DNA sequence: CGCGCGTTTGAGTGGTCTCAATGTCCGTGG
DNA sequence: CCACGGACATTGAGACCACTCAAACGCGCG
């Protein structure tokens, strides 16, 4: 459907040898999900755990696509609290802005590789980029949808509903549909759901007591009652 | 900067005679904020108070721009609760979707006029619409930014912070920067902020006792300590 | 083995919700 | 002109859920 630059080569393929065993959040992205590259494709970047890809307020020169690992975008408030806007899994694109500056900071949650695509914002798209605009528009609409869903998640929901919704979303987005490998910490989850770390932990324990999930380890969630979870999060 | 169709005529001008006195939420939009029309401009539509412009799940054939009045987009949950995603003031555009269907319902809050622009989604933008894509991209990025801000507003903030942020946003978006004419009810505000109607009312009363605002009537807010409000909402 | 980090669990507090009653504004009709 | 009704908004009392502060637990690593 959408035109893609034939010169574009997927950096994900060159990554595969370096990662012998891959949990779901490390899966390489499918080639068809790679956006058409601005200019001559994109530049592959490595980002270490907790390292910053770009800062809130920094000049926006590129947008990004996750190859492997996990990226979080967040805002630091004046009272020191952090709010996470989104988690980006392999295949997801992020970093579009309508001004010339980023309005969130982006950090790697774990060992992460991303591809950077240079662009100068919506206003600077010339006629030569005509084929690119519809694809970027589609990505922007996806981003708006994700942000809307996040806002709906945060409004007037109980802790168990929020956690269930988070787990349901993670299942839907990962390859494996039974076991979720959480690359992010409890603090990350709490900052994403607008809860405290203790409440997240308590809620997960309660879900385990209710036999909706199992927690073989802190960062591994086995979903046992997928429909129950989905119903709880609705 | 951005190309606009010369054949496009602003329906807002034809509205002006019909509205002798205009509070801020009834202000007609500035011509430069009108997006380039898809096809041959747009179709002017009247929407009565609480009438539905489109329903959640309905086929998406147009996007819209508010000429006068106020539009809310919302979601009705299975427990009967309503969550409002956004309020759209004159000049704002809404109704973009990345699928073929709307994912929220749109309703007029009061007597409202909108312009409808036909389009068939990002995928259907042909070469003939090349000049349109960057403008739509810009609007989509605005929408994403708005949704992100809303999500940040809803996460881990006290009732007074939420209400202060709502009032601050309303001041920034309306023409008058001292008195806010609220076209929406307390219930609308509560559903937007993830609070109950009682908490919204109590919080407004408290802000009045703290002399940050005055409430000459229920739907009219005079801002007396703008910096204090802004600081509270940060 | 012991340290450190992340996570889990416990006890008590507080902010928002729920349920209920009262108050205010405005249009209608006597 | 005032009485009445209805919708919307405000205020009050009590309950509950998530937060805060604190301690204990489990795991990986030097």
């Amino acid at each position: 459907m959408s035109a893609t630059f034939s010169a574009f080569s997927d950096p994900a393929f060159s990554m595969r040898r370096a990662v012998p065993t891959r949990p779901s959040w490390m899966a390489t992205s499918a080639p068809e999900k790679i956006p058409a590259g601005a200019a001559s494709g994109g530049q592959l970047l490595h980002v270490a755990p907790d390292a910053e890809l770009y800062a809130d307020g920094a000049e926006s020169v590129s947008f990004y696509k996750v190859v492997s690992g996990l990226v979080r975008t967040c805002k630091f408030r004046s009272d020191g609290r952090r709010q996470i806007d989104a988690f980006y899994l392999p295949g997801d694109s992020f970093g579009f802005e309508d001004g010339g500056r980023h309005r969130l900071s982006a950090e790697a949650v774990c060992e992460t590789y991303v591809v950077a695509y240079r662009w100068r914002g919506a206003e600077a798209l010339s006629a030569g980029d005509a084929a690119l605009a519809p694809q970027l528009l589609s990505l922007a609409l996806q981003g708006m949808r994700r942000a809307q869903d996040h806002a709906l998640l945060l409004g007037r929901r109980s802790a168990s509903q929020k956690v269930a919704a988070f787990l349901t979303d993670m299942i839907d987005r990962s390859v494996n549909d039974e076991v979720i490998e959480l690359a992010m910490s409890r603090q990350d989850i709490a900052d994403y759901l607008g809860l405290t770390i203790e409440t997240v932990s308590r809620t997960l324990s309660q879900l385990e007591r209710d036999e909706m999930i199992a927690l073989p380890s802190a960062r591994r969630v086995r979903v046992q009652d997928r429909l129950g979870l989905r119903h709880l999060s609705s």
PDB file of all heavy atoms in Angstrom, chain C residues 15-20 25:
ATOM      1  P    DG C  15      -5.503  15.156  53.198  1.00  0.00           P
ATOM      2  OP1  DG C  15      -4.414  16.139  53.151  1.00  0.00           O
ATOM      3  OP2  DG C  15      -6.692  15.381  54.053  1.00  0.00           O
ATOM      4  O5'  DG C  15      -6.016  14.896  51.717  1.00  0.00           O
ATOM      5  C5'  DG C  15      -5.207  14.114  50.839  1.00  0.00           C
ATOM      6  C4'  DG C  15      -6.098  13.413  49.833  1.00  0.00           C
ATOM      7  O4'  DG C  15      -6.807  12.325  50.482  1.00  0.00           O
ATOM      8  C3'  DG C  15      -7.171  14.288  49.204  1.00  0.00           C
ATOM      9  O3'  DG C  15      -7.295  13.924  47.833  1.00  0.00           O
ATOM     10  C2'  DG C  15      -8.426  13.949  49.994  1.00  0.00           C
ATOM     11  C1'  DG C  15      -8.206  12.492  50.342  1.00  0.00           C
ATOM     12  N9   DG C  15      -8.822  12.064  51.606  1.00  0.00           N
ATOM     13  C8   DG C  15      -8.861  12.755  52.791  1.00  0.00           C
ATOM     14  N7   DG C  15      -9.458  12.094  53.755  1.00  0.00           N
ATOM     15  C5   DG C  15      -9.824  10.900  53.160  1.00  0.00           C
ATOM     16  C6   DG C  15     -10.500   9.773  53.712  1.00  0.00           C
ATOM     17  O6   DG C  15     -10.920   9.610  54.859  1.00  0.00           O
ATOM     18  N1   DG C  15     -10.675   8.772  52.760  1.00  0.00           N
ATOM     19  C2   DG C  15     -10.236   8.832  51.463  1.00  0.00           C
ATOM     20  N2   DG C  15     -10.496   7.766  50.697  1.00  0.00           N
ATOM     21  N3   DG C  15      -9.611   9.860  50.940  1.00  0.00           N
ATOM     22  C4   DG C  15      -9.435  10.860  51.842  1.00  0.00           C
ATOM     23  P    DT C  16      -8.083  14.879  46.823  1.00  0.00           P
ATOM     24  OP1  DT C  16      -7.162  15.111  45.694  1.00  0.00           O
ATOM     25  OP2  DT C  16      -8.651  16.009  47.591  1.00  0.00           O
ATOM     26  O5'  DT C  16      -9.281  13.962  46.319  1.00  0.00           O
ATOM     27  C5'  DT C  16      -8.979  12.685  45.766  1.00  0.00           C
ATOM     28  C4'  DT C  16     -10.172  11.773  45.896  1.00  0.00           C
ATOM     29  O4'  DT C  16     -10.451  11.533  47.292  1.00  0.00           O
ATOM     30  C3'  DT C  16     -11.476  12.311  45.295  1.00  0.00           C
ATOM     31  O3'  DT C  16     -11.944  11.385  44.334  1.00  0.00           O
ATOM     32  C2'  DT C  16     -12.411  12.456  46.491  1.00  0.00           C
ATOM     33  C1'  DT C  16     -11.844  11.430  47.464  1.00  0.00           C
ATOM     34  N1   DT C  16     -12.161  11.668  48.891  1.00  0.00           N
ATOM     35  C2   DT C  16     -12.673  10.641  49.655  1.00  0.00           C
ATOM     36  O2   DT C  16     -12.894   9.530  49.211  1.00  0.00           O
ATOM     37  N3   DT C  16     -12.931  10.962  50.962  1.00  0.00           N
ATOM     38  C4   DT C  16     -12.728  12.186  51.572  1.00  0.00           C
ATOM     39  O4   DT C  16     -12.992  12.364  52.757  1.00  0.00           O
ATOM     40  C5   DT C  16     -12.191  13.223  50.722  1.00  0.00           C
ATOM     41  C7   DT C  16     -11.948  14.593  51.281  1.00  0.00           C
ATOM     42  C6   DT C  16     -11.932  12.919  49.442  1.00  0.00           C
ATOM     43  P    DC C  17     -13.320  11.569  43.559  1.00  0.00           P
ATOM     44  OP1  DC C  17     -13.080  11.136  42.176  1.00  0.00           O
ATOM     45  OP2  DC C  17     -13.844  12.925  43.841  1.00  0.00           O
ATOM     46  O5'  DC C  17     -14.260  10.492  44.259  1.00  0.00           O
ATOM     47  C5'  DC C  17     -13.826   9.145  44.299  1.00  0.00           C
ATOM     48  C4'  DC C  17     -14.823   8.282  45.055  1.00  0.00           C
ATOM     49  O4'  DC C  17     -14.803   8.649  46.456  1.00  0.00           O
ATOM     50  C3'  DC C  17     -16.265   8.432  44.582  1.00  0.00           C
ATOM     51  O3'  DC C  17     -16.837   7.164  44.343  1.00  0.00           O
ATOM     52  C2'  DC C  17     -16.965   9.186  45.693  1.00  0.00           C
ATOM     53  C1'  DC C  17     -16.123   8.890  46.916  1.00  0.00           C
ATOM     54  N1   DC C  17     -16.072  10.034  47.881  1.00  0.00           N
ATOM     55  C2   DC C  17     -16.477   9.851  49.194  1.00  0.00           C
ATOM     56  O2   DC C  17     -16.884   8.753  49.555  1.00  0.00           O
ATOM     57  N3   DC C  17     -16.421  10.903  50.047  1.00  0.00           N
ATOM     58  C4   DC C  17     -15.972  12.086  49.630  1.00  0.00           C
ATOM     59  N4   DC C  17     -15.920  13.089  50.512  1.00  0.00           N
ATOM     60  C5   DC C  17     -15.541  12.282  48.285  1.00  0.00           C
ATOM     61  C6   DC C  17     -15.611  11.250  47.451  1.00  0.00           C
ATOM     62  P    DT C  18     -18.308   7.068  43.697  1.00  0.00           P
ATOM     63  OP1  DT C  18     -18.318   5.814  42.920  1.00  0.00           O
ATOM     64  OP2  DT C  18     -18.619   8.350  43.046  1.00  0.00           O
ATOM     65  O5'  DT C  18     -19.280   6.904  44.945  1.00  0.00           O
ATOM     66  C5'  DT C  18     -19.055   5.877  45.894  1.00  0.00           C
ATOM     67  C4'  DT C  18     -20.076   5.969  47.018  1.00  0.00           C
ATOM     68  O4'  DT C  18     -19.737   7.077  47.887  1.00  0.00           O
ATOM     69  C3'  DT C  18     -21.510   6.211  46.543  1.00  0.00           C
ATOM     70  O3'  DT C  18     -22.366   5.239  47.120  1.00  0.00           O
ATOM     71  C2'  DT C  18     -21.837   7.618  47.020  1.00  0.00           C
ATOM     72  C1'  DT C  18     -20.906   7.796  48.215  1.00  0.00           C
ATOM     73  N1   DT C  18     -20.475   9.195  48.479  1.00  0.00           N
ATOM     74  C2   DT C  18     -20.582   9.711  49.750  1.00  0.00           C
ATOM     75  O2   DT C  18     -21.025   9.074  50.683  1.00  0.00           O
ATOM     76  N3   DT C  18     -20.146  11.003  49.886  1.00  0.00           N
ATOM     77  C4   DT C  18     -19.625  11.819  48.887  1.00  0.00           C
ATOM     78  O4   DT C  18     -19.272  12.966  49.133  1.00  0.00           O
ATOM     79  C5   DT C  18     -19.555  11.223  47.582  1.00  0.00           C
ATOM     80  C7   DT C  18     -19.017  12.025  46.436  1.00  0.00           C
ATOM     81  C6   DT C  18     -19.972   9.952  47.432  1.00  0.00           C
ATOM     82  P    DC C  19     -23.863   5.063  46.633  1.00  0.00           P
ATOM     83  OP1  DC C  19     -24.211   3.632  46.770  1.00  0.00           O
ATOM     84  OP2  DC C  19     -24.013   5.760  45.340  1.00  0.00           O
ATOM     85  O5'  DC C  19     -24.708   5.878  47.726  1.00  0.00           O
ATOM     86  C5'  DC C  19     -24.529   5.583  49.112  1.00  0.00           C
ATOM     87  C4'  DC C  19     -25.164   6.661  49.947  1.00  0.00           C
ATOM     88  O4'  DC C  19     -24.358   7.854  49.909  1.00  0.00           O
ATOM     89  C3'  DC C  19     -26.579   7.074  49.523  1.00  0.00           C
ATOM     90  O3'  DC C  19     -27.442   7.025  50.646  1.00  0.00           O
ATOM     91  C2'  DC C  19     -26.401   8.490  48.992  1.00  0.00           C
ATOM     92  C1'  DC C  19     -25.222   8.971  49.829  1.00  0.00           C
ATOM     93  N1   DC C  19     -24.451  10.104  49.259  1.00  0.00           N
ATOM     94  C2   DC C  19     -24.002  11.123  50.105  1.00  0.00           C
ATOM     95  O2   DC C  19     -24.243  11.060  51.302  1.00  0.00           O
ATOM     96  N3   DC C  19     -23.306  12.146  49.567  1.00  0.00           N
ATOM     97  C4   DC C  19     -23.056  12.184  48.253  1.00  0.00           C
ATOM     98  N4   DC C  19     -22.363  13.204  47.786  1.00  0.00           N
ATOM     99  C5   DC C  19     -23.521  11.150  47.381  1.00  0.00           C
ATOM    100  C6   DC C  19     -24.207  10.145  47.920  1.00  0.00           C
ATOM    101  P    DA C  20     -29.035   7.269  50.470  1.00  0.00           P
ATOM    102  OP1  DA C  20     -29.708   6.352  51.414  1.00  0.00           O
ATOM    103  OP2  DA C  20     -29.358   7.236  49.024  1.00  0.00           O
ATOM    104  O5'  DA C  20     -29.222   8.764  50.983  1.00  0.00           O
ATOM    105  C5'  DA C  20     -28.709   9.131  52.257  1.00  0.00           C
ATOM    106  C4'  DA C  20     -28.782  10.639  52.427  1.00  0.00           C
ATOM    107  O4'  DA C  20     -27.724  11.270  51.657  1.00  0.00           O
ATOM    108  C3'  DA C  20     -30.081  11.288  51.952  1.00  0.00           C
ATOM    109  O3'  DA C  20     -30.776  11.818  53.070  1.00  0.00           O
ATOM    110  C2'  DA C  20     -29.643  12.379  50.985  1.00  0.00           C
ATOM    111  C1'  DA C  20     -28.157  12.547  51.294  1.00  0.00           C
ATOM    112  N9   DA C  20     -27.372  12.984  50.142  1.00  0.00           N
ATOM    113  C8   DA C  20     -27.250  12.369  48.926  1.00  0.00           C
ATOM    114  N7   DA C  20     -26.475  13.004  48.086  1.00  0.00           N
ATOM    115  C5   DA C  20     -26.061  14.123  48.792  1.00  0.00           C
ATOM    116  C6   DA C  20     -25.225  15.202  48.468  1.00  0.00           C
ATOM    117  N6   DA C  20     -24.628  15.343  47.280  1.00  0.00           N
ATOM    118  N1   DA C  20     -25.017  16.153  49.416  1.00  0.00           N
ATOM    119  C2   DA C  20     -25.618  16.015  50.604  1.00  0.00           C
ATOM    120  N3   DA C  20     -26.421  15.043  51.029  1.00  0.00           N
ATOM    121  C4   DA C  20     -26.604  14.121  50.069  1.00  0.00           C
ATOM    122  P    DC C  25     -28.564  32.634  42.677  1.00  0.00           P
ATOM    123  OP1  DC C  25     -27.320  33.423  42.593  1.00  0.00           O
ATOM    124  OP2  DC C  25     -29.742  33.141  43.422  1.00  0.00           O
ATOM    125  O5'  DC C  25     -29.032  32.286  41.197  1.00  0.00           O
ATOM    126  C5'  DC C  25     -28.230  31.407  40.403  1.00  0.00           C
ATOM    127  C4'  DC C  25     -29.087  30.810  39.310  1.00  0.00           C
ATOM    128  O4'  DC C  25     -29.992  29.839  39.884  1.00  0.00           O
ATOM    129  C3'  DC C  25     -29.941  31.816  38.547  1.00  0.00           C
ATOM    130  O3'  DC C  25     -29.648  31.740  37.167  1.00  0.00           O
ATOM    131  C2'  DC C  25     -31.382  31.389  38.852  1.00  0.00           C
ATOM    132  C1'  DC C  25     -31.221  29.918  39.200  1.00  0.00           C
ATOM    133  N1   DC C  25     -32.279  29.364  40.093  1.00  0.00           N
ATOM    134  C2   DC C  25     -32.985  28.217  39.700  1.00  0.00           C
ATOM    135  O2   DC C  25     -32.727  27.695  38.630  1.00  0.00           O
ATOM    136  N3   DC C  25     -33.942  27.732  40.531  1.00  0.00           N
ATOM    137  C4   DC C  25     -34.185  28.332  41.685  1.00  0.00           C
ATOM    138  N4   DC C  25     -35.140  27.812  42.472  1.00  0.00           N
ATOM    139  C5   DC C  25     -33.480  29.506  42.112  1.00  0.00           C
ATOM    140  C6   DC C  25     -32.543  29.981  41.284  1.00  0.00           C
TER     141       DC C  25
END
